[in-house]
Structure formats: C-alpha cells, structure tokens
C-alpha cells in the first residue's frame, strides 16, 4: 500500500472558525482553491478525518 499505514477514520465537515482556519491552510498549500472559490456561489466543504 503506497503512503504508509492504513487507518480507520470517521469523516466530518469542518464548520465555523475551524473551517476558516483549515481553509486558509489549504489555500496556502494550493493557491488555485482560492480562485475556484471566487468563481462559485457555494461554500466548498472542508473534510476532516478523525480516528474511528
């Protein structure tokens, strides 16, 4: 398996302050996200994977 250890996770959507913090980090890592978000009307969800 490429990438390392397989783990069970539970997904959830980040909201509020957590989403804003994570979104800023995502845009720093991949700047085209900001341009994409500017072109669409909906908010792009940010998924968080937590240990199951």
């Amino acid at each position: 398996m490429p990438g390392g250890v397989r783990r069970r996770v539970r997904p959830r959507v980040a909201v509020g302050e957590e989403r804003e913090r994570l979104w800023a980090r995502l845009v720093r890592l991949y700047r085209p996200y900001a341009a994409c978000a500017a072109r669409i009307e909906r908010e792009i969800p940010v998924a968080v994977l937590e240990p199951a």
Side-chain angles (χ1 to χ4, degrees), residues 10-30:
R10 181 173 299 126
R12 67 177 177 81
V13 176
V15 295
E17 183 180 310
E18 179 187 37
R19 186 203 177 277
E20 295 303 317
R21 179 177 49 82
L22 293 173
W23 180 255
R25 187 174 176 186
L26 288 169
V27 169
R28 279 195 308 272
L29 293 170
Y30 188 70

Side-chain angles (χ1 to χ4, degrees), residues 19 35-44:
R19 186 203 177 277
C36 178
R39 288 192 310 268
I40 62 174
E41 294 181 16
R42 68 179 180 87
E43 182 175 87
I44 298 173

